[in-house]
Amino acid sequence: NITSHDVSTEFSLNTPLIDILQSHHLDFYQPCGGQATCGKCLVRFSSGAPKISYFDRLFISPEELDSGYRLACKSVLDQSAVLELPAATDIQHLVVETGRVAAAVNPLIRTKRITVKKPDLESGKSDQDLLADACEIEQISAFILKKLPDILRTSNFKITILTAGNKILDIYPGSENPTVYGIALDIGSTTLVASLHDINAGKTLAVETAINPQTRYGDDLVSRLSFIIKYGDSQQKLTDVVISKLNDMISRLCHKAEISSEHVYALVASGNVVMTHLFLGVNPRYVGYAPFTPVFKEMRVEQASTLGVKIHPEAQVYVMPNIGGYVGGDIVSDILTAGFGTGNGKTRLLIDIGTNCEVVLEHKGKMYAASAPAGPALEGSCIRYGMRAEGGAIYDSDGLNSVRTISDRPARGICGSGLVHLIDALYSENYIDLSGRISLDRAFPADVLFAAAEIDNQRAIRIIDKFHGAERDLYLVQDDIREFQLARSAIVAAWKLLCRVSGCGPQNIDEIYIAGAFGNFIRPDAAIRLGLVPAKNLNHIHFIGNASLEGGRMTLLDRDVPDHVRKMAAEISFIEMAGRLEFQDLYIENMHFPPL
Amino acid sequence: NITSHDVSTEFSLNTPLIDILQSHHLDFYQPCGGQATCGKCLVRFSSGAPKISYFDRLFISPEELDSGYRLACKSVLDQSAVLELPAATDIQHLVVETGRVAAAVNPLIRTKRITVKKPDLESGKSDQDLLADACEIEQISAFILKKLPDILRTSNFKITILTAGNKILDIYPGSENPTVYGIALDIGSTTLVASLHDINAGKTLAVETAINPQTRYGDDLVSRLSFIIKYGDSQQKLTDVVISKLNDMISRLCHKAEISSEHVYALVASGNVVMTHLFLGVNPRYVGYAPFTPVFKEMRVEQASTLGVKIHPEAQVYVMPNIGGYVGGDIVSDILTAGFGTGNGKTRLLIDIGTNCEVVLEHKGKMYAASAPAGPALEGSCIRYGMRAEGGAIYDSDGLNSVRTISDRPARGICGSGLVHLIDALYSENYIDLSGRISLDRAFPADVLFAAAEIDNQRAIRIIDKFHGAERDLYLVQDDIREFQLARSAIVAAWKLLCRVSGCGPQNIDEIYIAGAFGNFIRPDAAIRLGLVPAKNLNHIHFIGNASLEGGRMTLLDRDVPDHVRKMAAEISFIEMAGRLEFQDLYIENMHFPPL
């Protein structure tokens, strides 16, 4: 519904609106220069208006605030939005989408038109020499040499070259303006997600998701490592299935977008240490034993054809670097997305919650990473009525009268976020005490969705799903809460240890980023109340979801990212928790919930 | 027949014996320090004794000289030889072979044992980091990463690495000492020759020859280029057949030597411009038109697996650089073999005789190259009774009573060298005059093998093969001599023009090298008499035969060769003859034979 005067753009989380407008050359009327002292830069959000700020209240009436007016100079976007701009500007509406960087101006693959000097008898130069002179690239592959003579001569020596760093990936006649596509790939242990991008326009064209076919060799990393160790050399099998599935996904992505996979010139993959090893056909077995040595940590850049990835044969496959131990490329994508290492002096904490919990802290320009075994409770395992986050899973509860299920289907079980929110709701109402014990001191009111119970001689709480008409009742048992406490304590001990190592008080953390599919579903108030994250204003907690894919996308759209990421990965101090007494102490100290 | 105290070695043409002995650490008794003033360094050649020098005569009796005694300090080997050494040395016999460099001490592929530091929790380094630290190579391929973790741990972190330049090709447990093989390949338009080498021992293990299967698409370069131009994209076919034939040859070489082709880590290919283009799958069609632009000239280094060459998958394939126009990598191998660019101030001339004749002159440290169309006469084409150099071809005649045929079979025709030698024999006896005309002034004696004749109204000379009992007589006709004159004049004009361009008088040329399969069969006295080469002492004419293969071999055995060759190819001034009036003038001026 965008008229011809409308513009659509994308931006990264928490970008000041004024930056977005300036990137579109909208010279906005700002008499005070953005100091919020004049109140002249009014815009109206028809949707997605940001939270009302102190400055907004100074200049804008409550009615206007309600209808979406804000000061442009102080608006920071935290969700998709549509803006109406003053009539004086060329653009009437601006549609912005969350979680996105501004349209790429610095794509990973560069498209350049060049004019090559024509050969002559005197200089005696070869086509390769002449191309090298024109583009200042010495190394030219045999792939290019095969096409070069005909393309030069049919296009009168005006050609378009596509380059990645110092490598020419392909050449076209100058009259052609090839669209350059890239793929971002998240190699999760359970799920593969791939997205297709037009990297010059900065547009996402399609997304595909698939179950990681390695699950047939083991549900989790540990069982897959066991499989590899048991059947020598079987890691190649795990590599083959994932590459083959990726090729399926690529062909579906290209089909959806109606493009040829031959025009995909780059793929950026993020995944944990084991997944990235297997992606490249490298045996990760020694990551499973002390001293947990990965075979590689650096960002790898491989040729697609060598890996068997069916895109352009000269395409480059970038694999996000590992930091160490269990802290892999997925976490590097997390901190890339969260803006770590951008040097603005902020203290940032990233928590990626999963069976293994990875934590990265940036404080005074230095970065520290650690990983802690949180166990599978937060993914719904080891919980009596636990299940994956699928239809019918209880995922939220914000009071004794609230039980929410995924897809609003009758409750079948409790997923990770459901566990957190149920415990939070019951702890808030004192039905669970500080030590995690289910309290039997007082009965539940008759009209709520919970009731005291006992299961197998354990204290328990019955959950009555009266809204969805579930056929059976579910129970939260004492052991479930204990499992959560163990997971929570591992996470808390990890970030507390990083605070200690870096000399940073938890109160000094400016921004907290929660990553991981699971993290996306936790309410920040619950996370703060249960002490999962350092207590602070809700506004400073950001959920960045599956940042693996976003990290890949950012890399495709900005060729400075690989060096930035390499630098971060090399500079981060990895703090090994295994066998560290301090960690054990913190782990035990943090078993209790914080006082309400 | 070498006893346990014997040593076999190889050396390059014209190497001082003393250098060979020193390379075997034979501290020879030389009281005068090699000044030839004491006569103490006597050795005895049981075969291959070099020419007797002035110094030999000063100290050695005529009887001793006859039985092979020479002064070691002044002996320069120009052929294969067997030496008896003084009893004081450890070695009793030294067998040396001509045309070879000394056993490689600097092989292209380096074998190195290294100890890698073991991983630990503190440093958190990956296997790749630890390997990079140990061998100071940053870039490590995925191929190596796949093997690395297991090999490190089964060999207690002591491993053997094979490197080419800054690339690790393979790794082995430290206890293994892999033999490293390399292949030299000559890609001739007609014939492919490949040799297999143990590059640490500097030994040639096997040689294979095959007809270039591209001949089915045209006998010569011009017809193959026409085929490519006629059937668009058909150059891939020509590439495929040559690679497939090469793989056959490789498998036969490896079978003969009883080794696995997986242990061949390098291949060095030489060929003319069209052949090297087709070898890499690059279309050479534009070499056929002015301005005769090749697609590439530089030395290319490709991965064997990318080319489809079935040796070690990470093996490097080196392709000798082209100089320009029709002067290709085969000529670079020629001048490499002939010692051009070694900076000893000599003036050298190389002539590679074929349908196209390439000439390179080195004078005062500068090099000049040219190519001239000699036509097919010297390969036996366009000659009435011409034929290839096969059994029954007349290849030599050194007087009116001499006609020699290949394999001593009854004469069937005249090959290129036969044409030269017949003309030389007849010109020497004045039956052909300075202008190339068959002289009818006097009759042949009755007892010689030649007689005046007339064929199709042309003057001719009948050749009577009475030794071999040929069934029919053959004739050399006037037109044959004209064809030779055209070919000869093109060659002479080419080197004379280079002399003129470089400011070098032909009398100043120190060494003349004649290359090409054909050149090998011409007697130097005939070449001088007919003015094919600048007149000079016979000793200064060297026949280096098929140097393409030798150039490849030298590269395998000396890792400094690629840079040397790149430097030469870049520095040589290519002098284009096409359309150059000076060349036309010289061409016409040199139609006559030089006066006897």
Side-chain angles (χ1 to χ4, degrees):
Chain A
N1 294 326
I2 301 175
T3 73
S4 63
H5 292 290
D6 293 351
V7 156
S8 175
T9 190
E10 296 178 280
F11 71 104
S12 64
L13 219 62
N14 301 318
T15 303
L17 175 60
I18 216 75
D19 290 356
I20 299 173
L21 297 174
Q22 278 167 358
S23 77
H24 285 275
H25 308 289
L26 295 169
D27 290 325
F28 221 75
Y29 185 53
Q30 285 187 277
C32 73
Q35 299 300 306
T37 56
C38 71
K40 299 293 183 200
C41 62
L42 278 193
V43 287
R44 185 174 165 267
F45 286 84
S46 39
S47 74
K51 293 205 179 66
I52 296 163
S53 72
Y54 166 77
F55 301 101
D56 288 328
R57 294 198 195 281
L58 293 180
F59 296 99
I60 309 173
S61 72
E63 294 73 30
E64 284 177 321
L65 286 173
D66 275 355
S67 59
Y69 282 94
R70 298 288 185 279
L71 294 181
C73 69
K74 287 297 165 192
S75 291
V76 175
L77 302 196
D78 55 4
Q79 57 178 313
S80 294
V82 178
L83 282 85
E84 290 168 14
L85 301 177
T89 61
D90 283 347
I91 298 173
Q92 293 180 355
H93 290 88
L94 187 67
V95 178
V96 286
E97 288 179 33
T98 51
R100 302 290 184 241
V101 295
V105 286
N106 194 31
L108 188 58
I109 311 297
R110 207 184 283 228
T111 308
K112 211 170 154 188
R113 289 191 192 195
I114 59 171
T115 300
V116 176
K117 211 167 157 281
K118 290 185 186 168
D120 58 69
L121 268 177
E122 291 68 46
S123 80
K125 288 194 171 184
S126 66
D127 288 351
Q128 177 182 358
D129 295 337
L130 296 163
L131 174 59
D133 289 352
C135 66
E136 295 177 358
I137 291 180
E138 279 288 315
Q139 289 283 342
I140 292 167
S141 70
F143 175 87
I144 299 297
L145 292 188
K146 288 184 189 195
K147 303 178 138 192
L148 185 61
D150 283 333
I151 289 184
L152 282 179
R153 286 165 185 81
T154 54
S155 68
N156 199 24
F157 290 81
K158 291 179 206 309
I159 64 170
T160 300
I161 63 172
L162 301 189
T163 57
N166 211 21
K167 185 177 160 70
I168 302 181
L169 300 180
D170 211 343
I171 55 174
Y172 293 89
S175 56
E176 287 183 33
N177 192 12
T179 313
V180 181
Y181 303 98
I183 288 179
L185 170 68
D186 165 38
I187 319 170
S189 318
T190 313
T191 313
L192 304 176
V193 191
S195 54
L196 178 69
H197 307 270
D198 174 336
I199 72 167
N200 282 304
K203 267 192 199 160
T204 303
L205 303 176
V207 179
E208 275 288 330
T209 304
I211 297 293
N212 185 333
Q214 292 172 344
T215 45
R216 87 178 70 130
Y217 304 105
D219 247 355
D220 53 39
L221 293 184
V222 175
S223 50
R224 277 179 229 171
L225 284 176
S226 309
F227 177 83
I228 292 169
I229 292 165
K230 196 162 163 198
Y231 306 98
D233 268 350
S234 55
Q235 97 273 3
Q236 193 56 45
K237 238 181 241 167
L238 277 75
T239 300
D240 293 345
V241 294
V242 89
I243 295 288
S244 153
K245 178 57 76 181
L246 170 61
N247 284 331
D248 287 353
M249 295 169 78
I250 290 171
S251 98
R252 286 204 302 273
L253 284 172
C254 294
H255 182 77
K256 273 187 191 171
E258 296 178 0
I259 66 153
S260 156
S261 60
E262 292 270 314
H263 290 124
V264 177
Y265 285 93
L267 184 146
V268 184
S270 311
N272 64 45
V273 178
V274 172
M275 287 300 112
T276 50
H277 276 55
L278 288 174
F279 182 59
L280 297 183
V282 173
N283 196 332
R285 62 184 291 183
Y286 301 103
V287 177
Y289 306 100
F292 315 109
T293 309
V295 180
F296 64 94
K297 299 203 299 186
E298 287 77 1
M299 171 173 263
R300 305 257 343 152
V301 184
E302 305 287 344
Q303 186 134 326
S305 53
T306 311
L307 295 180
V309 174
K310 290 179 184 156
I311 50 180
H312 188 282
E314 296 280 295
Q316 306 280 288
V317 174
Y318 298 76
V319 180
M320 282 287 177
N322 297 316
I323 294 171
Y326 281 101
V327 183
D330 47 351
I331 306 305
V332 173
S333 271
D334 285 347
I335 62 172
L336 167 67
T337 306
F340 279 54
T342 51
N344 60 4
K346 278 195 178 173
T347 293
R348 295 179 172 90
L349 176 69
L350 170 97
I351 306 178
D352 191 305
I353 303 176
T355 306
N356 216 59
C357 172
E358 292 93 359
V359 179
V360 185
L361 178 69
E362 178 177 25
H363 182 56
K364 296 193 174 165
K366 285 192 179 171
M367 283 181 261
Y368 308 84
S371 123
L378 297 179
E379 291 179 345
S381 288
C382 307
I383 299 298
R384 180 172 280 248
Y385 287 89
M387 68 178 284
R388 286 197 182 177
E390 293 164 355
I394 295 175
Y395 75 95
D396 199 4
S397 163
D398 60 1
L400 296 183
N401 273 304
S402 153
V403 166
R404 297 208 181 96
T405 62
I406 294 179
S407 309
D408 269 336
R409 288 178 35 200
R412 293 195 295 129
I414 302 167
C415 70
S417 59
L419 179 69
V420 176
H421 293 139
L422 288 170
I423 291 172
D424 173 55
L426 294 163
Y427 176 61
S428 304
E429 298 288 340
N430 289 311
Y431 289 97
I432 294 173
D433 70 16
L434 205 109
S435 75
R437 206 154 159 274
I438 292 175
S439 157
L440 296 182
D441 296 350
R442 59 195 178 104
F444 283 99
D447 57 347
V448 301
L449 299 177
F450 299 92
E454 199 184 277
I455 298 271
D456 295 344
N457 296 323
Q458 269 191 62
R459 291 182 178 197
I461 293 169
R462 186 153 63 101
I463 306 162
I464 307 144
D465 179 21
K466 77 176 157 209
F467 296 126
H468 309 106
E471 283 169 17
R472 58 169 191 172
D473 288 339
L474 304 173
Y475 296 86
L476 183 73
V477 302
Q478 183 63 58
D479 279 355
D480 296 344
I481 300 166
R482 296 300 180 213
E483 288 288 346
F484 171 71
Q485 284 178 286
L486 292 171
R488 178 197 157 280
S489 193
I491 296 167
V492 174
W495 60 255
K496 285 202 171 164
L497 185 62
L498 290 194
C499 283
R500 200 176 278 182
V501 167
S502 66
C504 160
Q507 71 287 354
N508 295 328
I509 296 171
D510 297 309
E511 308 291 341
I512 296 167
Y513 299 89
I514 298 183
F518 163 76
N520 247 359
F521 294 97
I522 307 183
R523 275 180 288 108
D525 58 322
I528 292 180
R529 205 152 33 232
L530 293 174
L532 256 180
V533 299
K536 188 121 191 192
N537 190 322
L538 290 185
N539 291 337
H540 295 275
I541 300 187
H542 312 284
F543 293 94
I544 59 173
N546 182 353
S548 269
L549 208 63
E550 176 58 14
R553 212 188 64 93
M554 287 174 69
T555 310
L556 290 171
L557 302 192
D558 185 351
R559 79 178 67 107
D560 294 333
V561 165
D563 278 342
H564 172 56
V565 155
R566 280 188 189 103
K567 195 165 169 282
M568 282 203 294
E571 287 177 357
I572 292 176
S573 304
F574 175 70
I575 310 297
E576 181 62 55
M577 302 273 157
R580 201 168 172 129
L581 279 180
E582 256 177 307
F583 176 73
Q584 298 298 343
D585 289 348
L586 281 167
Y587 184 55
I588 291 161
E589 278 169 26
N590 284 284
M591 284 295 167
H592 284 202
F593 299 130
L596 284 171
Chain B
N1 296 327
I2 301 174
T3 72
S4 62
H5 290 291
D6 293 352
V7 156
S8 175
T9 190
E10 296 179 278
F11 71 105
S12 63
L13 220 61
N14 300 319
T15 303
L17 175 61
I18 216 74
D19 291 355
I20 300 173
L21 296 175
Q22 278 167 358
S23 76
H24 284 276
H25 307 289
L26 295 169
D27 289 326
F28 221 75
Y29 184 52
Q30 286 187 278
C32 72
Q35 298 301 307
T37 55
C38 71
K40 300 291 183 202
C41 63
L42 279 193
V43 287
R44 185 174 166 266
F45 287 83
S46 37
S47 74
K51 293 206 178 65
I52 295 162
S53 72
Y54 166 78
F55 301 101
D56 289 328
R57 294 196 195 283
L58 291 180
F59 295 99
I60 308 173
S61 71
E63 294 74 31
E64 282 176 325
L65 286 172
D66 276 355
S67 59
Y69 281 96
R70 298 288 184 279
L71 293 181
C73 69
K74 288 297 166 192
S75 292
V76 175
L77 301 195
D78 54 5
Q79 57 178 313
S80 294
V82 179
L83 281 86
E84 289 168 15
L85 300 178
T89 60
D90 283 347
I91 297 173
Q92 293 181 352
H93 291 87
L94 187 66
V95 178
V96 286
E97 288 179 33
T98 52
R100 303 290 184 242
V101 295
V105 286
N106 194 30
L108 188 59
I109 311 298
R110 208 184 283 227
T111 309
K112 210 169 154 188
R113 290 191 191 196
I114 58 172
T115 301
V116 177
K117 210 166 158 284
K118 291 184 185 169
D120 57 70
L121 269 177
E122 292 67 46
S123 79
K125 287 192 170 184
S126 67
D127 288 350
Q128 178 182 357
D129 295 337
L130 295 164
L131 175 59
D133 289 351
C135 66
E136 294 177 359
I137 292 180
E138 280 287 315
Q139 289 283 342
I140 292 167
S141 71
F143 175 86
I144 298 297
L145 292 189
K146 288 184 189 195
K147 303 178 138 195
L148 185 61
D150 282 333
I151 289 184
L152 283 179
R153 287 166 183 80
T154 55
S155 68
N156 199 24
F157 290 82
K158 289 180 206 310
I159 64 169
T160 300
I161 63 172
L162 300 189
T163 57
N166 211 21
K167 184 177 161 68
I168 302 181
L169 300 180
D170 211 344
I171 54 173
Y172 292 89
S175 55
E176 287 182 32
N177 193 12
T179 312
V180 180
Y181 302 98
I183 287 178
L185 170 67
D186 166 37
I187 320 171
S189 317
T190 315
T191 314
L192 305 176
V193 191
S195 54
L196 178 69
H197 306 270
D198 173 335
I199 71 168
N200 281 305
K203 266 192 198 161
T204 303
L205 303 176
V207 179
E208 275 287 330
T209 304
I211 297 292
N212 185 335
Q214 292 172 344
T215 45
R216 89 178 68 129
Y217 304 105
D219 246 356
D220 53 38
L221 293 184
V222 174
S223 50
R224 277 179 228 169
L225 284 177
S226 309
F227 177 84
I228 291 170
I229 292 164
K230 196 163 165 196
Y231 306 98
D233 269 350
S234 57
Q235 96 273 3
Q236 192 57 44
K237 237 181 241 168
L238 277 75
T239 301
D240 292 345
V241 294
V242 90
I243 295 288
S244 152
K245 178 59 75 182
L246 170 61
N247 284 331
D248 287 353
M249 295 170 79
I250 291 170
S251 97
R252 285 204 302 273
L253 284 172
C254 293
H255 182 76
K256 273 187 190 171
E258 297 178 0
I259 66 153
S260 156
S261 59
E262 292 270 315
H263 290 125
V264 177
Y265 286 92
L267 185 146
V268 184
S270 311
N272 64 45
V273 178
V274 173
M275 288 299 112
T276 50
H277 275 55
L278 288 174
F279 182 60
L280 297 183
V282 174
N283 196 333
R285 63 185 289 182
Y286 301 103
V287 177
Y289 306 100
F292 315 110
T293 309
V295 181
F296 64 93
K297 299 203 301 185
E298 288 76 1
M299 172 173 262
R300 305 258 341 151
V301 184
E302 305 287 344
Q303 186 135 326
S305 53
T306 311
L307 296 180
V309 174
K310 290 180 184 156
I311 50 180
H312 188 282
E314 296 280 295
Q316 306 281 288
V317 174
Y318 298 76
V319 181
M320 282 288 177
N322 297 316
I323 294 171
Y326 282 101
V327 184
D330 47 351
I331 306 306
V332 173
S333 271
D334 285 347
I335 61 172
L336 168 67
T337 306
F340 278 54
T342 51
N344 61 3
K346 278 196 177 172
T347 294
R348 295 178 172 91
L349 176 68
L350 171 97
I351 306 178
D352 191 305
I353 304 177
T355 306
N356 216 59
C357 172
E358 292 93 357
V359 179
V360 186
L361 178 69
E362 178 175 25
H363 182 58
K364 296 194 173 164
K366 285 192 178 170
M367 283 180 261
Y368 307 84
S371 121
L378 297 179
E379 290 178 345
S381 288
C382 307
I383 300 299
R384 180 172 280 249
Y385 287 88
M387 66 178 285
R388 284 198 183 177
E390 292 164 355
I394 295 174
Y395 75 95
D396 198 3
S397 163
D398 59 3
L400 297 183
N401 273 305
S402 152
V403 167
R404 297 207 182 98
T405 61
I406 294 179
S407 310
D408 269 335
R409 288 173 40 197
R412 294 195 295 130
I414 302 168
C415 70
S417 59
L419 179 69
V420 176
H421 293 139
L422 288 170
I423 292 173
D424 174 54
L426 295 162
Y427 176 61
S428 305
E429 299 288 342
N430 289 311
Y431 290 97
I432 295 174
D433 71 15
L434 205 107
S435 75
R437 207 156 158 271
I438 292 175
S439 159
L440 296 182
D441 296 350
R442 59 193 177 104
F444 284 97
D447 58 346
V448 302
L449 300 177
F450 299 92
E454 200 183 276
I455 298 272
D456 295 344
N457 296 323
Q458 268 191 62
R459 291 182 179 195
I461 292 169
R462 186 153 62 100
I463 306 161
I464 307 143
D465 180 21
K466 80 176 154 207
F467 297 124
H468 309 105
E471 284 170 19
R472 58 168 192 173
D473 288 339
L474 304 173
Y475 296 86
L476 183 73
V477 302
Q478 184 62 59
D479 278 357
D480 296 344
I481 300 166
R482 297 300 179 213
E483 288 287 347
F484 171 71
Q485 284 178 284
L486 293 171
R488 179 196 157 280
S489 193
I491 296 167
V492 174
W495 60 254
K496 285 203 171 164
L497 185 63
L498 290 194
C499 282
R500 199 175 280 182
V501 167
S502 66
C504 161
Q507 70 287 355
N508 295 327
I509 296 171
D510 298 309
E511 309 291 341
I512 295 167
Y513 299 89
I514 298 184
F518 162 75
N520 247 359
F521 293 97
I522 306 183
R523 274 181 289 108
D525 57 323
I528 291 180
R529 205 152 33 231
L530 293 174
L532 257 180
V533 299
K536 188 124 187 188
N537 191 322
L538 290 185
N539 291 337
H540 295 274
I541 300 187
H542 311 283
F543 293 95
I544 59 174
N546 181 354
S548 269
L549 208 63
E550 176 58 14
R553 210 189 65 93
M554 288 174 69
T555 310
L556 290 171
L557 303 193
D558 185 351
R559 78 178 67 106
D560 294 334
V561 166
D563 278 343
H564 172 57
V565 155
R566 280 188 189 103
K567 196 165 167 281
M568 281 203 294
E571 287 178 358
I572 291 176
S573 303
F574 175 71
I575 310 297
E576 181 62 53
M577 301 274 158
R580 201 166 172 131
L581 280 181
E582 256 177 306
F583 177 73
Q584 298 298 343
D585 290 347
L586 281 167
Y587 183 56
I588 291 161
E589 278 169 25
N590 284 282
M591 284 296 167
H592 284 201
F593 299 129
L596 284 170

